[in-house]
Amino acid sequence: MAVTQRLDLRQSTSLVMTPQLQQAIKLLELSNLEVSAYVERELEQNPLLERDEDEPVLAPGARGALPSPPDNGLNSGLGRSRSGSGNGTRDGNDGPPIEETLANAIDLREHLTTQLTLDIQDPADRAIGLALIDSLDEAGYVMGGLEPVAERLGCDASRVETVLKQLQQFDPPGIFARNLKECLALQLLDRNRLDPAMQALLDHLHLLAQGDRVKLMRICAVDAEDLTQMVSEIKALDPKPALAFDAAPLTPVTPDILMHRTPEGGWVVELNNQTLPRVLVNQSYYSRLLKGSRGKEDRDYIVTQMTSANWLVKSLHQRAVTILKVATEIVRQQDAFFGHGVQHLKPLMRRDIAATIGMHESTVSRVAANKYIATPRGLYELRFFFSNAIADTAGGESHSAAAVRARIKGLIESESEVLSDDRLVQLLKGEGVDIARRTVAKYRESLRIPSSTERRRQRVLRVG
């Protein structure tokens, strides 16, 4: 077989990620406050950029690119934008990358929200959990009672109480207590030390404050030595668990998007202009600098700064338009939740929003990260409203994956005989949920529930 050389031409396409495109994508992921910090650095570095003190980037109340249908009265807050043009690139040597402008510290809110996301799958219960996180005072106590939370979210107080019990198992121990007694009890329970004698001591803390040890020994049915040990354990507990985690436990979240109801009963969705960075390109200064430049190096520097400034202003405007489109469509899709309460959260996927507004799913995903919307039912991150959907066996409305996980958990907790994954599939299909066995197994494992074999073994050991 002869070996020969041959020259071929092949044509292919590929996406080139220029520095400006990379930073445009990164800008889309950041919150308004994070973008503001980045813009501040750009203002210091680029002489052609200046603050716009006269008007917001997007004027509130103007009609947006996605006007709402008449049945819900939605409208977005798009208006004029003062942007330049140009497609310049960034050098990359004039400062740290944009991600380095972000804060790295994790506060108590983030710590609790992460646990909420991992431990509570039902979207309605997660909404309740977020509201309870917002109700914590600086010491970590729930303030104001549970009724206001239930009223704001349109659900029963008993459901809020159930979610609270779950949150009280979070770290740090003692968090989400409603009073000192409950805070200490939660910490003792975490240490497996909440026996009847200790509970009796907690029920009579006023006697401990008064130093009435004789009465306490009689009430707790312990001797002097045991009481001394119990009191020592109480003193070792932390009455303000949030302060032990962070000196400033709950950093207030500033919303990126605002919504409120119109007199006609619909919703107005607009960007929070108080947090949007406002910049302009100084064209006259650019002309003067270019005219006074003394050589090619000076001219190249001025042109580079001009294209960079134009790119930034253009990118900020496009970012604002994109966020508003996504937020407006989320509000439209979740109208029942905002109108009637947490039980009406519908299954929603990012591709549903992307298809409706004509954007890529990855763009919607970036917008949903780190963006908060202030609603009549509380403050929520945009990605809170997304969950997977599972088809209905009769072709009806699909089921939220979070709701199916909750149902699996309920079936197993109430099982009289151990239910296999196959049996769970049969029961769920009987309730109209079209689900595969491997999906049931995946959801069960995400709930940290052992297999039917392991549960059966544990039951035998308990009986034995």
Side-chain angles (χ1 to χ4, degrees), residues 133-336:
I133 290 175
D134 288 337
S135 73
L136 294 180
D137 66 7
E138 63 178 10
Y141 288 78
V142 174
M143 300 299 292
L146 304 185
E147 288 292 344
V149 174
E151 183 178 353
R152 173 154 59 90
L153 294 177
C155 63
D156 295 333
S158 60
R159 184 166 189 174
V160 179
E161 177 84 31
T162 300
V163 175
L164 177 65
K165 294 299 183 184
Q166 292 178 271
L167 301 186
Q168 287 178 339
Q169 300 175 38
F170 285 6
D171 177 76
I175 200 75
F176 291 105
R178 285 162 286 188
N179 50 56
L180 176 61
K181 170 185 170 182
E182 189 172 40
C183 179
L184 299 178
L186 290 171
Q187 294 179 59
L188 289 168
L189 187 62
D190 181 69
R191 301 180 181 192
N192 197 27
R193 283 291 296 123
L194 190 60
D195 54 28
M198 191 67 82
Q199 183 64 61
L201 177 57
L202 293 179
D203 291 338
H204 298 85
L205 287 176
H206 62 285
L207 295 178
L208 181 59
Q210 296 170 7
D212 195 341
R213 296 175 59 88
V214 175
K215 197 169 185 178
L216 279 174
M217 284 189 291
R218 184 173 68 253
I219 292 173
C220 299
V222 297
D223 58 24
E225 183 179 352
D226 287 338
L227 181 61
T228 298
Q229 182 180 352
M230 291 165 60
V231 171
S232 296
E233 289 186 63
I234 293 288
K235 290 181 177 180
L237 303 177
D238 189 348
K240 297 181 179 181
L243 297 183
F245 183 85
D246 194 327
L250 292 178
T251 303
V253 174
T254 303
D256 305 272
I257 307 122
L258 308 173
M259 66 172 288
H260 57 86
R261 191 176 286 279
T262 65
E264 296 77 22
W267 302 107
V268 171
V269 181
E270 59 189 16
L271 294 175
N272 184 357
N273 285 320
Q274 299 301 314
T275 62
L276 282 173
R278 310 173 189 178
V279 291
L280 293 173
V281 179
N282 193 326
Q283 297 281 353
S284 60
Y285 188 44
Y286 166 71
S287 299
R288 293 199 307 271
L289 286 177
L290 198 60
K291 185 180 296 185
S293 61
R294 298 182 178 180
K296 183 178 183 302
E297 186 176 348
D298 287 351
R299 286 193 300 274
D300 288 347
Y301 169 78
I302 296 168
V303 171
T304 298
Q305 294 303 312
M306 183 61 176
T307 54
S308 175
N310 277 329
W311 166 83
L312 179 61
V313 174
K314 182 178 178 181
S315 297
L316 289 173
H317 176 67
Q318 186 58 45
R319 172 186 177 275
V321 172
T322 304
I323 292 173
L324 195 56
K325 282 185 178 180
V326 172
T328 299
E329 186 57 30
I330 288 175
V331 171
R332 181 182 292 128
Q333 295 271 6
Q334 297 288 6
D335 178 68

